[in-house]
Amino acid sequence: MKTLKVLLSTYTGEKYLKQQLDSLLSQTYKNFEIIARDDGSRDKTLEILRSYDVTIIESKENLGVKRSFGKLLEYAIKDSDTDYIMFCDQDDVWEEDKLEKTLLQMQEMERQYSNIPLLVHTDLEVVDEKLNSINSSFMDFQKIDPSKNKFHNLLIQNTITGCTVMINRELAQKSLPIPDTAIMHDWWIGLVASKFGKICYVDETTIKYRQHADNTIGAKGFDIGFVLKIIFNKVSLDHNIHQAKAFLKQFENEINDETRQMLNEFISLNQKTYYQKRRILLKYKLFKHGFIRNLGLLIKI
């Protein structure tokens, strides 16, 4: 039987952690292991983890969420029996069929594609700290089109939320090491999947995505304030460029000439003139999601 590891990174998570762990243990699919790494909490987070059937990677070092998940991924892959991996945040609540539903889609993909990197992700329900619904669809809430998941799409804007993701062993191995200049672990893994494998989106919510004051990333509604910010604030692609540079360095010998040229031109964007920048974006279809975001991009870059 194939094995599944759920990777949980925690930091000062005592307020919501029990609820999340209970939702994991209530899954309809039971054949999985929870591997947790705490990022230096000073509250009762570790105490809570130790009260559950969880494998804990001992560490007192504070690495931040991206590097913490990177360490978890490295640990999981050292186990030769690991077939699938999922990522788990400390403050959400999983629907009881999340594992089962995602695994069924992964296995369907495996029947179509053998021995290549595979990624499955889903929608989320956006909820407040008391789990009251804010929006039944994260994708609708942020006006994101998950079908735009090609490599050139993901260079500009991420469509993949890590806490919904399942990846196979091939993608985990291909994604490591996650570079320090990757924007986030899920974004990096999505880029790797888009270039070397396949991505599948399940248009169902499998998780209650809790929003509260301490969210590392969080969900921002596409309201008038958000629209004005997009249009009038200066657009910086510096983080995207640094991530693209890391991708080129890591995979230069495995990509074709067209991809290499696109990455090199994108990386040089800040050295280009006003018109050259826009020519590069248009040439490679390096667009964000929706008219408003692209208007802001083309006006303010």
Side-chain angles (χ1 to χ4, degrees):
M1 182 177 289
K2 294 196 172 184
T3 59
L4 169 62
K5 301 289 197 297
V6 174
L7 308 185
L8 168 63
S9 181
T10 61
Y11 179 69
T12 316
E14 65 177 7
K15 188 173 183 181
Y16 306 115
L17 182 56
K18 285 185 178 181
Q19 206 166 15
Q20 173 65 301
L21 288 167
D22 288 341
S23 77
L24 293 181
L25 297 179
S26 298
Q27 291 295 301
T28 54
Y29 181 83
K30 303 296 185 183
N31 185 35
F32 67 97
E33 177 187 3
I34 304 170
I35 303 175
R37 180 191 177 278
D38 186 68
D39 206 30
S41 297
R42 296 183 179 180
D43 61 0
K44 294 181 180 179
T45 296
L46 266 173
E47 183 180 323
I48 294 169
L49 286 174
R50 291 183 179 125
S51 70
Y52 283 80
D53 184 15
V54 173
T55 300
I56 300 173
I57 303 176
E58 296 295 339
S59 175
K60 295 182 180 179
E61 187 179 9
N62 183 271
L63 299 177
V65 62
K66 173 182 66 182
R67 293 178 62 201
S68 183
F69 274 116
K71 289 291 185 185
L72 281 162
L73 190 57
E74 290 169 2
Y75 181 91
I77 284 301
K78 285 180 182 177
D79 183 349
S80 60
D81 291 333
T82 303
D83 296 299
Y84 309 115
I85 290 167
M86 299 185 80
F87 301 95
C88 180
D89 293 341
Q90 66 187 5
D91 44 11
D92 301 322
V93 171
W94 287 16
E95 302 294 347
E96 65 177 11
D97 60 352
K98 172 175 162 58
L99 279 173
E100 182 179 2
K101 191 174 291 182
T102 312
L103 181 58
L104 283 172
Q105 185 58 57
M106 173 63 76
Q107 291 171 336
E108 176 61 30
M109 288 182 75
E110 287 180 325
R111 285 189 281 272
Q112 297 179 55
Y113 315 103
S114 59
N115 302 318
I116 67 169
L118 299 175
L119 183 154
V120 178
H121 69 121
T122 74
D123 202 353
L124 317 86
E125 179 186 6
V126 184
V127 299
D128 66 17
E129 61 182 320
K130 295 182 179 180
L131 301 182
N132 298 309
S133 184
I134 296 172
N135 195 296
S136 60
S137 168
F138 172 83
M139 296 299 180
D140 179 67
F141 190 55
Q142 294 210 310
K143 302 298 183 244
I144 290 173
D145 180 357
S147 68
K148 294 181 178 178
N149 59 15
K150 305 303 182 188
F151 184 72
H152 65 276
N153 301 131
L154 292 176
L155 275 179
I156 291 291
Q157 185 174 352
N158 190 24
T159 62
I160 295 162
T161 308
C163 56
T164 74
V165 164
M166 177 182 286
I167 63 176
N168 65 353
R169 184 178 185 85
E170 287 78 7
L171 180 53
Q173 291 174 319
K174 193 74 175 176
S175 299
L176 290 171
I178 298 175
D180 288 342
T181 50
I183 297 173
M184 281 296 285
H185 62 286
D186 54 0
W187 199 333
W188 175 261
I189 292 168
L191 275 172
V192 176
S194 69
K195 178 48 59 179
F196 300 109
K198 297 291 182 180
I199 296 172
C200 177
Y201 172 68
V202 178
D203 190 17
E204 297 182 50
T205 60
T206 61
I207 185 171
K208 293 186 184 298
Y209 188 43
R210 195 192 308 257
Q211 302 301 293
H212 55 85
D214 298 321
N215 282 111
T216 301
I217 302 296
K220 300 174 180 64
F222 207 82
D223 56 17
I224 186 63
F226 189 65
V227 169
L228 292 173
K229 182 179 179 181
I230 288 173
I231 295 175
F232 293 109
N233 284 13
K234 179 176 174 58
V235 173
S236 172
L237 294 176
D238 288 352
H239 293 304
N240 304 66
I241 288 169
H242 290 316
Q243 181 166 255
K245 192 180 296 185
F247 192 95
L248 179 60
K249 181 179 179 181
Q250 196 151 315
F251 300 112
E252 185 165 14
N253 296 327
E254 303 178 55
I255 56 177
N256 59 30
D257 291 340
E258 182 182 355
T259 302
R260 191 177 296 109
Q261 182 179 347
M262 176 176 65
L263 284 168
N264 277 315
E265 290 201 52
F266 181 62
I267 288 165
S268 69
L269 205 65
N270 286 339
Q271 284 72 56
K272 301 299 184 181
T273 66
Y274 177 93
Y275 293 105
Q276 287 172 332
K277 288 179 181 178
R278 286 144 185 83
R279 181 188 63 79
I280 290 170
L281 295 178
L282 293 169
K283 176 181 178 181
Y284 295 110
K285 300 179 180 179
L286 300 173
F287 302 135
K288 295 193 175 188
H289 292 228
F291 175 78
I292 295 296
R293 285 191 177 99
N294 286 310
L295 178 63
L297 176 66
L298 292 172
I299 290 175
K300 303 299 290 186
I301 188 175

